[in-house]
Amino acid sequence: MPQLPSPLRRLLPLSQTLAAATPAPLLHLSRRLFSSSSSSPSPSPRAACLRALAYRGGQAGGGGRRGHHNHLLRRGNSTLGKRSKEKMGGGGGGGGGGGEAEVAFNKTRAEGKDGRKGRSMELKSRKLNPINTICYVQHKGVYSGFPLPVEDQKYYVVRILGTGMDTQDTSPSILLFFDKQRFIFNAGEGLQRFCTEHKIKLSKIDHIFLTRVCSETAGGLPGLVLTLAGIGEEGMSVNIWGPSDVDFLASAMRSFIPNRAMLHTHSFGVEQNVSSSQSKDATVIVDDEVVRISAMFVKPRYNKEASCLNDSNLKPGDTAIIYACELPELKGKFDPAKAAALGLKPGPKYRELQLGNSVQSDAFDKMVHPSDVLGPSIPGPTVLLVDCPTKYHMHELFSLQSLIRFYEDSSEQAGSPKKVNCVIHLGPSSVTEALDYQNWMRKFGATQHIMAGHEIKNMEIPILKGSARISSRLHFVCPHLFPSSGFWPVEPINDVDSEKNKVSSLQACESVSAANLLKFHLRPYAQLGLDRSSIPSLTTYGDIVDELLSEIPEIKEVPEQISKFWQSNSVGKHMLMVEEPWITENSSVCNFVDENSNSGKLQDGTPLRASGWRKHPKDTPDIPCCVENATREDMEITFLGTGSSQPSKYRNVSSIYINLFTQGGILLDCGEGTLGQLKRRFGVSGADDAVKSLKCIWISHIHADHHTGVARVLALRSKLLKGVPHKPLLVIGPRPLERFLNAYSTLEDLDMQFLDCRQTLKPSIEVFLSDNATESATSQLGSTIFAPGSKMENYSRKPASPRDTTALTNLKDVLHESGLEVLYSVPVLHCPQAFGVVLRAKEKVSSAGKAIPGWKVVYSGDTRPCPALVDASRDATVLIHEATFEDSMKDEAIARNHSTTKEAIAVGTSAGAYRIILTHFSQRYPKIPVFDEVDMQKTCIAFDLMSVNLADLPVLPKVLPHLKLLFKDEMVVDESDEIQEAVM
């Protein structure tokens, strides 16, 4: 290999990297990655049919919306600097289509060496000003001359952030808002996405407090921490507070957050030999001029005969925290007349008196004290946050000695009680509606109780209205692919429970149900109380459809047009539903077969698979047998998240649910919010059924947007199946994921069994599943360039661990129960230990006794185009491939080891995949990515909550042009513009 300048050697084309391992043949493999023929320099028919992806609205017709030209200029710009571009190797076609195309990738990133290490991640330091604390958002008063009364200069509010209210998958968050400080209580999954939609600036958050340390309350922390770390040159961090259990969480997160400066955790606790209920003093966490926050501990008592400290059933994550937020007393109103009578002139001394300092009179030889000029002080408002997650916590909660001072009538307290203005209850309604709990609430007297726990009636009000709006529009246009309308009716409860609720309601303590963005004002004192002005207006599915028809009148006919595709498909599956440009007189299947040989091989030497697309004569439509004979109960792919990097308003992060119906289901990647998306797609109880019937979770790599939802799904499954005989759920993923899950399992029962992806590579799996499994899988694997421990083993510096026979046996059972012939992982080019996956169903026999090959689904994970994935995708029924960037951003795709839309399509075309579904779009494409219709004849774009049934594959590409009408006026924005606006 010729010597390259040092900067270019760091980013080599795949061909040169492979050539370093083995000479000419592998170099040749890279050059023919997207070409059927390596002998001819001209593009192959397949490659020739690929065209630049540049869907530009009205460009073809010369028209376009206002400002379109400027927008196109911005859209094509890469964010890479000139220096970065100079480091890109393999400048050929990048997989575009020519026979000489090479695939460049970022070797440094693939080896995991590109992290911005050494950054300080300094915590924000805000200077408090207890007097002039004017809210910059909603209070813009400016004054001169005499100072306004102190209480009129402050704006403090408690705000309900309704994460999980509709899906009941996570705990709501509470925002304690001051002008120069922000406190959030609980950070469950979806918090970052919620804040993006509602323009809540995450960079302003100083402290996060956890009422419990578990996936329900802390599932959104990893993504939030990583997002803050990416702000600015040095990154930002936030203080995370919780009981000593938070140390377990921090330890788990460090398995994929290597920079310790990102995590500023602070744990607090009580002496182990003293029951928390016996302690009369709460643990003070924050005590400054603005607020005093203290914590009280509540442990469950599962065994009534044993104390909570000696209960063997306790886990670290069981401890719940009650937070008391106490504001200082309000100084009395300043009386200028009294000040003048005491010889004071208007000026700085007025302010000193307001601050509580004595001053010298200007006219008399005497000191003037604050009590001389200020009216009586008003006690500062107090808010309690109570999390009682189970009935087992109630005894300890009711016995807390440190709460007695807040009760209205108690003979055990000295002096007058501390008035509580608001109590926010985070426990579920099954706990808070209990008679004992209601009686305990009455102890606080005339206090505003807000019930923020899970309630059935909240399910019908979507919290993410932007996402619900898109889902409703897509459902209207094509309910076949988008069964979820974004809204669903409240699931009925039985009559017995209804009667119980009616009886208990007569004895219930007066309270209000929390609503999304409900506020409780703490200051100004004149506004003390509830504020419903920010609660989003109620919107129904009908409202959204009416808005759509008013906005795009021509779309009214589209649903009927699309429904005809399904009618035609049901009449005869042998009809060609989509014109395939590569099956024509000039480019038929025979064009791809070596004409000089009868060996049944492609020109590149690849044998035709029995399950492939050469099942029909060359002049007949090409529909795989597994699709022609499919029923609607065979397999369905549901996209739960189709965005990249971090959640956005319209797209969640990566997750795909393979629904095998009576044979269970499989999750491919499981980013934050996966459980919530399952509930939006299938309803609360339907999602619970899907979780209980899961057979396996497969994770592509350790990046947070692909795996941070795993713990929440596992914890729920363990809870749902408690007391029911079942096996641990098999989790297949990169080795660092096991360290995270093992550390996390100290907090919650995850009930899982882990299997390293490196033990599921194709040679190893084939040997293990074969009848003669005595041959070493390792020796078989050693014959490949991706062998464990080799230089090309995905650039992993460590060989795979010894094979876990128990986990592999479990995988064998999973395949049998799921009706799968094989599941194996494929090393890809993205980061250390990054993989794609292949699922192939078992062959089945038709009613006529004919053998029907099983379907084959391939998922790329995150990757640059690579030969291993092309080979694995040969004759796939469906290839799900990431398409993070549009074509004009190829340099960006190389730098980040992702694929462009055109490259993703080329992979599927070269491999002969029947259908290609693109996903993992950059958040710069908020609703729909850039594409060109001419490249989409067998390709479709994935949307969140889209469900693609195996039987619907023939009509799939036909739908896309009609969906485009929904977004005809949409504009691509710079990456994460909306997200950054909310973050900053």
Side-chain angles (χ1 to χ4, degrees):
M1 183 188 305
Q3 292 296 315
L4 297 174
S6 179
L8 290 179
R9 275 203 305 270
R10 297 182 62 198
L11 297 169
L12 293 174
L14 180 60
S15 58
Q16 295 183 13
T17 306
L18 295 177
T22 53
L26 289 180
L27 173 63
H28 179 70
L29 173 64
S30 174
R31 290 186 176 276
R32 62 175 173 80
L33 181 59
F34 300 117
S35 173
S36 304
S37 173
S38 57
S39 59
S40 173
S42 61
S44 68
R46 288 187 191 178
C49 76
L50 296 177
R51 302 178 186 172
L53 298 180
Y55 173 63
R56 299 294 191 234
Q59 187 176 11
R65 53 189 175 273
R66 188 170 49 140
H68 189 60
H69 175 71
N70 291 337
H71 180 62
L72 293 181
L73 293 177
R74 182 180 63 162
R75 185 189 320 209
N77 291 340
S78 171
T79 57
L80 287 179
K82 182 177 180 181
R83 182 180 177 185
S84 299
K85 292 184 179 181
E86 292 173 352
K87 294 183 179 181
M88 298 299 109
E100 294 301 318
E102 298 179 356
V103 179
F105 67 101
N106 187 335
K107 184 172 183 289
T108 303
R109 185 175 180 87
E111 293 176 335
K113 298 177 181 178
D114 65 335
R116 290 185 287 174
K117 298 178 181 179
R119 295 187 298 163
S120 61
M121 302 292 174
E122 292 296 330
L123 288 170
K124 301 177 294 296
S125 177
R126 304 189 194 279
K127 184 177 180 181
L128 303 180
N129 186 347
I131 293 298
N132 185 22
T133 52
I134 300 175
C135 175
Y136 68 94
V137 176
Q138 300 185 37
H139 184 102
K140 301 180 180 178
V142 180
Y143 67 95
S144 59
F146 294 119
L148 293 172
V150 173
E151 64 271 19
D152 289 336
Q153 301 175 40
K154 301 182 179 181
Y155 185 96
Y156 301 161
V157 68
V158 177
R159 198 174 193 184
I160 307 293
L161 308 183
T163 52
M165 278 187 172
D166 54 345
T167 54
Q168 303 195 5
D169 64 306
T170 190
S171 173
S173 297
I174 309 298
L175 172 64
L176 185 57
F177 178 98
F178 304 104
D179 67 327
K180 293 187 180 297
Q181 285 194 106
R182 311 284 191 277
F183 303 90
I184 279 187
F185 295 84
N186 290 340
E189 290 188 0
L191 174 61
Q192 188 176 177
R193 192 178 186 193
F194 177 93
C195 292
T196 298
E197 172 147 339
H198 295 286
K199 302 295 191 295
I200 296 173
K201 300 182 184 299
L202 293 172
S203 64
K204 303 295 184 182
I205 305 300
D206 298 272
H207 301 272
I208 295 176
F209 298 90
L210 302 178
T211 60
R212 281 175 289 136
V213 185
C214 61
S215 59
E216 186 179 0
T217 60
L221 265 184
L224 179 59
V225 166
L226 289 168
T227 296
L228 291 174
I231 296 176
E233 290 296 325
E234 291 298 322
M236 302 178 70
S237 187
V238 64
N239 288 292
I240 302 170
W241 298 83
S244 55
D245 314 338
V246 79
D247 295 333
F248 293 105
L249 177 63
S251 176
M253 289 170 60
R254 287 192 178 103
S255 63
F256 61 91
I257 301 180
N259 191 338
R260 299 182 69 88
M262 292 184 187
L263 288 175
H264 290 269
T265 56
H266 310 271
S267 60
F268 49 85
V270 295
E271 294 295 331
Q272 293 297 316
N273 59 351
V274 179
S275 173
S276 58
S277 62
Q278 297 174 356
S279 175
K280 292 186 178 181
D281 297 324
T283 301
V284 178
I285 305 169
V286 175
D287 193 0
D288 56 33
E289 304 95 325
V290 175
V291 66
R292 182 178 190 264
I293 300 178
S294 54
M296 293 153 273
F297 299 79
V298 178
K299 294 179 180 291
R301 182 173 295 184
Y302 298 112
N303 185 351
K304 294 183 179 179
E305 298 180 359
S307 71
C308 60
L309 296 173
N310 299 321
D311 196 331
S312 59
N313 294 320
L314 280 177
K315 287 185 71 70
D318 288 340
T319 301
I321 304 296
I322 312 301
Y323 288 103
C325 306
E326 303 172 70
L327 276 64
E329 67 177 11
L330 298 173
K331 301 293 184 181
K333 187 174 181 179
F334 182 82
D335 191 337
K338 289 184 178 180
L342 293 172
L344 288 175
K345 298 178 181 179
K349 292 184 178 180
Y350 279 20
R351 180 178 177 84
E352 290 297 318
L353 288 167
Q354 284 187 301
L355 288 172
N357 301 321
S358 299
V359 297
Q360 177 70 41
S361 172
D362 296 318
F364 309 109
D365 186 17
K366 60 179 295 186
M367 295 296 294
V368 179
H369 304 286
S371 58
D372 297 331
V373 295
L374 297 178
S377 297
I378 303 173
T382 297
V383 177
L384 294 181
L385 278 75
V386 180
D387 188 359
C388 185
T390 71
K391 63 181 181 180
Y392 302 107
H393 289 78
M394 287 198 291
H395 181 272
E396 191 82 358
L397 172 63
F398 302 158
S399 304
L400 279 178
Q401 295 294 309
S402 50
L403 274 179
I404 290 179
R405 69 189 184 98
F406 297 112
Y407 296 152
E408 184 180 51
D409 299 316
S410 176
S411 58
E412 301 179 25
Q413 62 184 7
S416 59
K418 175 72 173 178
K419 169 67 176 176
V420 177
N421 301 88
C422 178
V423 181
I424 301 175
H425 302 268
L426 299 174
S429 57
S430 59
V431 172
T432 59
E433 291 178 0
L435 182 59
D436 289 344
Y437 195 94
Q438 292 287 317
N439 289 334
W440 172 75
M441 289 168 58
R442 289 193 179 88
K443 291 186 177 182
F444 295 98
T447 295
Q448 181 66 72
H449 292 278
I450 301 177
M451 315 310 291
H454 294 160
E455 294 188 75
I456 296 296
K457 63 182 179 181
N458 287 331
M459 291 162 44
E460 61 182 341
I461 307 172
I463 297 303
L464 301 175
K465 296 188 70 173
S467 174
R469 181 173 174 270
I470 291 292
S471 295
S472 295
R473 288 179 164 223
L474 290 168
H475 174 76
F476 172 77
V477 172
C478 184
H480 303 85
L481 295 180
F482 303 94
S484 174
S485 67
F487 297 80
W488 54 82
V490 173
E491 298 176 4
I493 56 178
N494 59 59
D495 293 336
V496 175
D497 290 339
S498 298
E499 289 301 318
K500 288 182 179 178
N501 290 337
K502 289 180 182 178
V503 173
S504 63
S505 65
L506 298 176
Q507 303 170 330
C509 179
E510 185 176 352
S511 62
V512 299
S513 295
N516 185 28
L517 301 182
L518 175 69
K519 294 180 183 178
F520 187 90
H521 286 277
L522 302 175
R523 291 183 181 171
Y525 184 75
Q527 298 180 18
L528 184 67
L530 291 173
D531 178 359
R532 300 179 179 274
S533 62
S534 297
I535 298 176
S537 58
L538 295 179
T539 304
T540 66
Y541 171 72
D543 295 334
I544 294 175
V545 171
D546 291 342
E547 175 194 57
L548 173 61
L549 294 176
S550 174
E551 180 183 327
I552 312 175
E554 60 269 30
I555 208 166
K556 184 177 182 179
E557 308 300 327
V558 171
E560 183 178 354
Q561 295 170 5
I562 291 180
S563 65
K564 291 179 180 178
F565 302 153
W566 269 263
Q567 294 171 8
S568 301
N569 193 41
S570 63
V571 170
K573 290 188 177 180
H574 292 278
M575 292 178 60
L576 181 60
M577 302 307 302
V578 181
E579 180 184 357
E580 303 289 1
W582 47 278
I583 305 178
T584 63
E585 292 182 0
N586 297 323
S587 60
S588 60
V589 173
C590 63
N591 289 343
F592 298 107
V593 181
D594 190 346
E595 297 177 357
N596 299 322
S597 172
N598 295 321
S599 60
K601 294 183 179 180
L602 296 177
Q603 288 181 346
D604 64 358
T606 303
L608 291 172
R609 305 300 198 264
S611 59
W613 37 260
R614 196 184 179 190
K615 278 290 181 183
H616 302 272
K618 63 183 180 180
D619 57 345
T620 62
D622 174 33
I623 300 178
C625 291
C626 61
V627 177
E628 282 187 314
N629 295 273
T631 70
R632 302 201 68 82
E633 301 297 316
D634 284 349
M635 185 272 292
E636 188 170 87
I637 304 169
T638 295
F639 292 87
L640 303 175
T642 57
S644 67
S645 182
Q646 59 197 76
S648 72
K649 185 175 181 179
Y650 302 109
R651 293 185 184 270
N652 199 47
V653 287
S654 297
S655 185
I656 301 169
Y657 175 62
I658 306 295
N659 189 354
L660 302 175
F661 297 95
T662 59
Q663 295 176 307
I666 295 174
L667 278 174
L668 306 180
D669 279 336
C670 190
E672 178 188 336
T674 291
L675 179 58
Q677 292 291 84
L678 275 172
K679 299 203 172 190
R680 292 183 179 95
R681 168 61 183 86
F682 298 106
V684 172
S685 60
D688 287 349
D689 292 339
V691 169
K692 286 189 292 185
S693 64
L694 276 176
K695 300 299 182 184
C696 173
I697 298 177
W698 181 92
I699 303 299
S700 61
H701 60 290
I702 199 60
H703 287 168
D705 58 322
H706 290 257
H707 77 83
T708 50
V710 173
R712 185 74 194 103
V713 171
L714 291 175
L716 177 63
R717 178 182 179 273
S718 178
K719 179 181 177 182
L720 293 172
L721 294 177
K722 192 172 184 178
V724 179
H726 64 280
K727 294 180 181 178
L729 185 63
L730 183 66
V731 177
I732 304 174
R735 182 62 65 185
L737 178 63
E738 182 183 27
R739 293 194 290 269
F740 167 68
L741 294 176
N742 285 342
Y744 193 92
S745 63
T746 58
L747 295 169
E748 291 184 274
D749 288 322
L750 298 185
D751 195 20
M752 63 92 188
Q753 186 176 42
F754 189 82
L755 182 60
D756 192 334
C757 277
R758 291 176 294 184
Q759 299 179 39
T760 64
L761 300 183
K762 184 178 181 181
S764 178
I765 289 297
E766 287 180 343
V767 170
F768 184 79
L769 296 179
S770 66
D771 295 333
N772 182 20
T774 57
E775 184 179 357
S776 169
T778 304
S779 63
Q780 293 287 321
L781 201 60
S783 63
T784 73
I785 62 171
F786 293 103
S790 70
K791 293 181 179 180
M792 284 304 297
E793 196 267 319
N794 204 44
Y795 302 108
S796 177
R797 290 177 287 276
K798 296 181 180 179
S801 62
R803 184 174 62 182
D804 187 338
T805 305
T806 304
L808 284 170
T809 302
N810 193 3
L811 174 59
K812 202 170 187 177
D813 294 339
V814 165
L815 296 177
H816 175 73
E817 295 168 3
S818 304
L820 297 179
E821 179 183 337
V822 72
L823 179 157
Y824 64 88
S825 301
V826 181
V828 295
L829 294 171
H830 181 60
C831 67
Q833 299 190 50
F835 299 89
V837 67
V838 176
L839 304 174
R840 189 167 67 239
K842 291 180 180 177
E843 183 181 86
K844 64 180 183 179
V845 180
S846 68
S847 57
K850 178 184 176 182
I852 302 172
W855 49 263
K856 177 180 178 181
V857 172
V858 180
Y859 170 50
S860 69
D862 286 6
T863 184
R864 291 286 298 144
C866 63
L869 187 65
V870 174
D871 184 64
S873 303
R874 297 286 180 195
D875 312 320
T877 314
V878 180
L879 169 62
I880 304 170
H881 201 291
E882 72 116 294
T884 309
F885 297 104
E886 61 175 293
D887 265 1
S888 62
M889 304 191 70
K890 179 185 169 186
D891 288 342
E892 195 103 22
I894 294 173
R896 302 187 185 185
N897 280 345
H898 286 295
S899 300
T900 65
T901 307
K902 184 176 182 180
E903 288 173 330
I905 295 173
V907 169
T909 302
S910 177
Y914 175 62
R915 290 291 178 256
I916 306 166
I917 304 179
L918 305 181
T919 186
H920 196 268
F921 304 110
S922 167
Q923 302 296 10
R924 75 179 70 234
Y925 316 114
K927 295 180 182 178
I928 191 167
V930 178
F931 67 93
D932 189 339
E933 286 185 50
V934 300
D935 291 306
M936 308 300 284
Q937 285 84 3
K938 64 174 183 175
T939 304
C940 187
I941 287 171
F943 295 85
D944 280 20
L945 306 185
M946 183 173 83
S947 292
V948 180
N949 195 283
L950 180 65
D952 295 336
L953 289 178
V955 304
L956 187 61
K958 197 86 170 179
V959 176
L960 185 59
H962 295 274
L963 297 182
K964 185 188 67 179
L965 185 61
L966 278 174
F967 309 102
K968 65 175 186 177
D969 295 324
E970 300 298 336
M971 296 176 64
V972 178
V973 298
D974 278 345
E975 183 172 15
S976 303
D977 271 0
E978 264 190 351
I979 296 174
Q980 290 300 329
E981 180 182 350
V983 169
M984 297 299 290

